[in-house]
Amino acid sequence: MQFGTLGTEYRYDMTEPKFQTAFAFLKRDDLNTLPDGWIPLENGVRASIQHYETSPEEKLSFETHEKFFDVQYLVDGEELLGVCTRQGLEVSVPYDTENDVTFYREPLVSGKVLLRSGDYVVFAPEDAHKPRCLAGTAMSVKKIVIKVPVEEPVSKE
């Protein structure tokens, strides 16, 4: 699945080495045994291993990122994610440069994506998303969010 607005379809190349690094990591056999926390990878990519309980969507907020794509992969469980373009959204919490995140008020209309074990979705900076929403009933999930830099890291030569 790719989500976007016409005119941005050529903006990103999902075959770049940084995306290959992300998807190669997700093909590992030991994902279920990895402890929570950050794992640095190659090409400026890093993986966040998370374990949490899904929550009612009205308790959560839409968010976007400026410096990173989110590749969200569900290792175990089931969760809904709200999705929409960030264009026209009203900011509720301004951009936090340290955590690379802006939060938004609930839009009048948005879509949803259901992730089950083994599913992933890629969010670009234009894509507002609301993760961690329960799909029916609250449940424990294990998710890996891979942060893929929008720009290539500067080489240190």
Side-chain angles (χ1 to χ4, degrees):
M1 171 185 163
Q2 185 175 354
F3 175 79
T5 303
L6 282 179
T8 64
E9 65 271 18
Y10 299 110
R11 187 169 176 188
Y12 307 114
D13 180 0
M14 298 291 180
T15 64
E16 290 180 335
K18 60 188 179 184
F19 286 103
Q20 292 175 9
T21 296
F23 287 106
F25 180 84
L26 294 176
K27 292 177 183 173
R28 292 172 49 153
D29 291 332
D30 65 343
L31 296 179
N32 221 1
T33 64
L34 295 174
D36 288 1
W38 287 98
I39 299 174
L41 305 173
E42 298 174 335
N43 298 309
V45 178
R46 58 191 171 124
S48 173
I49 315 304
Q50 306 173 2
H51 194 156
Y52 55 83
E53 290 281 320
T54 55
S55 298
E57 62 182 285
E58 57 272 6
K59 293 185 176 186
L60 303 166
S61 298
F62 276 87
E63 62 186 60
T64 59
H65 310 288
E66 302 297 324
K67 300 175 187 172
F68 293 92
F69 291 86
D70 266 7
V71 178
Q72 299 199 11
Y73 176 79
L74 212 58
V75 177
D76 189 39
E78 195 171 278
E79 101 177 36
L80 278 174
L81 293 97
V83 294
C84 65
T85 182
R86 75 172 170 186
Q87 184 177 357
L89 292 182
E90 185 181 346
V91 173
S92 63
V93 179
Y95 182 65
D96 176 345
T97 55
E98 185 176 327
N99 294 306
D100 185 40
V101 66
T102 302
F103 291 101
Y104 299 89
R105 298 198 195 304
E106 188 69 24
L108 292 177
V109 179
S110 63
K112 295 180 183 171
V113 173
L114 174 64
L115 291 185
R116 293 187 170 127
S117 299
D119 292 342
Y120 75 91
V121 64
V122 179
F123 294 111
E126 301 77 35
D127 306 329
H129 53 284
K130 181 175 18 174
R132 300 181 175 222
C133 300
L134 58 87
T137 59
M139 71 173 60
S140 179
V141 301
K142 182 164 191 170
K143 182 197 267 183
I144 298 175
V145 177
I146 300 191
K147 297 291 191 174
V148 177
V150 172
E151 299 296 328
E152 288 293 324
V154 176
S155 65
K156 298 179 180 179
E157 295 183 52

